[in-house]
Amino acid sequence: MKKIDIFPSTKAFIFDLDGTLADTMPLHYEAWVKTAKIMNLEFSVDFLKSCAGMPSSKIIDLLNEKNNRTIDPQKFSDMKEEFFAKEMHKIKEITAVTDLVYKYHGKIPMAVGTGGKRNIASETMQLLGLDKYISILVSADDVENHKPEPDTFLKCAELMGISPENCQVFEDASLGFQAAEAAGMRVTDVTPFY
């Protein structure tokens, strides 16, 4: 299997969570589809992929706009999270990426920067045992401006005490790539590794 390269200037790692450390995207998609069906909304894989890294509330705003609807984002989000929570036990780690966590634990500072809600992200990390290796988590609840804005990753760098240009971001989605670049960080697309 191909190995993920670490840039020579890297002094800290920042990992996205869903689709990067944790193989959650199929479960998220299933939860979105079930909820959309109940709410009588069309929902496609391509649409979800285009929104990867966005908080649920923003995705629901887009769905409302696209379908000329006024569905309450909180109600939709709560229902979607319930469906997701029932399936969380199925989450697997993405070993090509988590291997980096185990290999560099205690040698290099690490953080998780996600567009997901803190409670779900924390639970995902606990389920996979990653909370024992990475204590810094910046979620959609911790910043005002979400990916593609750089705020999530800049907050991770700040909490680790590392300059943005010395952080390497591991991501699977376009909005995350844009956020890392906007933060002045090097970014690695992890999708070719799984």
Side-chain angles (χ1 to χ4, degrees):
M1 186 173 36
K2 218 163 68 159
K3 193 169 82 42
I4 298 176
D5 291 324
I6 307 305
F7 298 112
S9 62
T10 298
K11 292 183 181 162
F13 293 161
I14 301 173
F15 298 95
D16 172 47
L17 183 60
D18 296 300
T20 298
L21 288 169
D23 188 11
T24 54
M25 294 320 274
L27 300 178
H28 276 297
Y29 178 69
E30 209 175 290
W32 276 103
V33 169
K34 285 178 182 173
T35 309
K37 191 173 184 178
I38 290 167
M39 299 283 188
N40 205 19
L41 280 172
E42 286 293 312
F43 195 83
S44 70
V45 176
D46 290 338
F47 176 76
L48 184 63
K49 281 182 181 171
S50 74
C51 298
M54 237 184 241
S56 295
S57 60
K58 286 191 178 174
I59 298 172
I60 297 157
D61 287 343
L62 286 175
L63 277 172
N64 274 330
E65 205 175 290
K66 198 173 145 181
N67 294 282
N68 201 18
R69 299 283 295 278
T70 55
I71 290 166
D72 175 20
Q74 191 60 54
K75 185 179 172 188
F76 190 109
S77 188
D78 290 347
M79 191 183 296
K80 182 245 165 202
E81 282 176 23
E82 263 181 59
F83 283 127
F84 181 75
K86 286 178 187 162
E87 303 298 323
M88 282 185 86
H89 63 279
K90 295 178 181 174
I91 295 172
K92 303 264 188 284
E93 65 181 32
I94 296 172
T95 53
V97 186
T98 57
D99 283 353
L100 290 174
V101 173
Y102 309 135
K103 181 178 178 181
Y104 289 96
H105 178 251
K107 298 175 187 159
I108 192 166
M110 297 182 215
V112 168
T114 179
K117 290 187 172 181
R118 176 168 280 281
N119 62 330
I120 300 277
S122 293
E123 196 173 335
T124 300
M125 288 179 67
Q126 286 165 16
L127 272 168
L128 296 176
L130 292 171
D131 59 319
K132 295 173 188 74
Y133 297 90
I134 303 173
S135 60
I136 296 170
L137 168 65
V138 177
S139 71
D141 302 322
D142 304 312
V143 294
E144 207 170 299
N145 303 306
H146 305 101
K147 300 172 188 176
E149 299 302 322
D151 304 33
T152 300
F153 294 146
L154 289 173
K155 186 160 178 115
C156 286
E158 181 189 321
L159 292 171
M160 290 186 291
I162 305 290
S163 297
E165 66 271 14
N166 295 123
C167 294
Q168 183 169 349
V169 175
F170 301 89
E171 255 291 354
D172 68 309
S174 175
L175 294 177
F177 305 148
Q178 292 170 52
E181 286 163 12
M185 300 176 180
R186 303 291 297 266
V187 64
T188 298
D189 177 359
V190 301
T191 55
F193 299 92
Y194 66 85

